[in-house]
Amino acid sequence: MIEPQAIPAIGVQHPAVRQVQHIQNNTAPNRYKLFVAEGLWAHNMLLESGAPIDTFFWCPEAIYADEAHKRAEEIAERAERSFRISLRTLEKISERDKPDGLLSLAALPRWEPRDLRFGRTALVLVADGLEIPGNLGTLIRSLDACGADCLVLTNRKTRLTHPKVIRASQGTILTVPTLEFETVGEAVAWLESRRFTVLLADTDEAINYRQADYAGRTALVVGSERYGIAKDWYGRGYQRVAVPMLGSGDSLNVSVSASVLLYEAQARKSGW
């Protein structure tokens, strides 16, 4: 167990505490792609994934599980720096109703387009202009669940370090490769240079998603919750695919429709 005197104590005004608040509120540059991991589950995730831990905040009076005491010791050994904080300070930076004494700043992995290698039946999802953090996190979780190879972001409207993205992804944001391109043209060039067949999720002039050809490498493109796929994706001869709506509604949540498409593509590729 950690000895309290072994870790320096800090208060609400300390720059490290302010850094947590800035990252949570997106009120300062975040060049190292740090995110806030909070609670026992999140810290188990950090240890399992080997994610770099920048700063560990330990509040012993808030810990109520024996496992959390053990994890605190392991995280303190891994972190670049560690601080002891009071319950009052923890409550200032926590987004949980009952914080359990463990909070860290950790870094997301960095992937580069040139570093990724794909098999002949690779499956990629392109998320164009997504605005809702929870949807983005759910997409990442679906990519992991169906064994897809990569997430590509274009026209990004929400940050990957948003707490709701982290929570909705259930930690898979640390293991699913994610690439971001400044323009649609750059993303298109990258996909075509790697011989991906691009399919646009769109109800207009679309075929039923069960009728699409998913042979070879496939990139599925889904659009924003309000505006759909950006116009820059059109006019390139890409096939459009749609999930049929059999009720009174005219569309599915983007994360739901993406999951349907991803599993259909993977089923066809794997011969399920």
Side-chain angles (χ1 to χ4, degrees):
M1 187 176 297
I2 303 174
E3 294 294 333
Q5 63 270 21
I7 295 182
I10 60 173
V12 175
Q13 300 303 320
H14 193 278
V17 173
R18 291 183 177 275
Q19 184 182 19
V20 173
Q21 294 171 320
H22 285 311
I23 288 172
Q24 286 174 328
N25 299 323
N26 199 31
T27 53
N30 187 3
R31 59 181 298 194
Y32 298 111
K33 297 179 73 174
L34 298 178
F35 68 95
V36 179
E38 187 174 354
L40 178 59
W41 173 84
H43 284 79
N44 283 336
M45 171 191 75
L46 294 181
L47 291 169
E48 290 169 8
S49 67
I53 302 169
D54 180 85
T55 310
F56 172 48
F57 300 88
W58 175 55
C59 179
E61 60 189 298
I63 292 179
Y64 47 82
D66 290 340
E67 184 183 358
H69 285 291
K70 181 180 179 181
R71 293 295 173 264
E73 196 165 345
E74 294 171 353
I75 292 289
E77 290 177 358
R78 281 265 311 277
E80 292 291 327
R81 55 181 183 167
S82 298
F83 296 112
R84 178 163 46 94
I85 58 174
S86 67
L87 184 58
R88 174 176 171 270
T89 299
L90 177 62
E91 289 172 345
K92 286 282 187 181
I93 59 177
S94 172
E95 293 196 333
R96 300 179 60 178
D97 292 333
K98 294 182 179 180
D100 59 5
L102 307 178
L103 189 146
S104 290
L105 290 178
L108 291 180
R110 292 179 181 270
W111 285 281
E112 297 294 335
R114 63 179 178 273
D115 297 333
L116 299 186
R117 300 290 181 267
F118 299 103
R120 60 183 181 83
T121 60
L123 177 60
V124 164
L125 180 73
V126 179
D128 180 78
L130 258 67
E131 298 178 84
I132 300 175
N135 282 341
L136 180 55
T138 301
L139 285 181
I140 296 170
R141 186 177 179 183
S142 295
L143 281 161
D144 174 81
C146 76
D149 293 272
C150 177
L151 172 67
V152 172
L153 299 174
T154 55
N155 296 312
R156 182 175 58 82
K157 299 295 191 298
T158 187
R159 57 192 168 93
L160 285 169
T161 56
H162 196 291
K164 291 183 179 179
V165 175
I166 306 300
R167 286 197 295 269
S169 79
Q170 287 290 292
T172 56
I173 194 170
L174 297 174
T175 56
V176 173
T178 302
L179 302 176
E180 182 177 354
F181 290 92
E182 290 294 326
T183 67
V184 169
E186 291 175 353
V188 167
W190 181 77
L191 290 168
E192 292 186 349
S193 71
R194 284 153 180 78
R195 304 186 306 281
F196 276 91
T197 297
V198 179
L199 301 175
L200 307 182
D202 190 347
T203 55
D204 294 336
E205 302 176 19
I207 62 172
N208 187 300
Y209 77 106
R210 299 298 303 278
Q211 298 172 332
D213 182 3
Y214 299 101
R217 296 176 177 177
T218 305
L220 300 166
V221 184
V222 296
S224 79
E225 297 85 350
R226 287 190 292 175
Y227 305 114
I229 298 169
K231 63 181 181 179
D232 292 342
W233 283 100
Y234 294 91
R236 302 176 185 273
Y238 296 150
Q239 178 69 66
R240 306 181 195 184
V241 297
V243 178
M245 301 300 298
L246 307 180
S248 59
D250 62 359
S251 65
L252 288 168
N253 174 280
V254 63
S255 59
V256 174
S257 60
S259 297
V260 172
L261 295 172
L262 285 166
Y263 267 97
E264 178 67 16
Q266 196 64 282
R268 299 276 284 279
K269 290 174 181 296
S270 303
W272 292 349

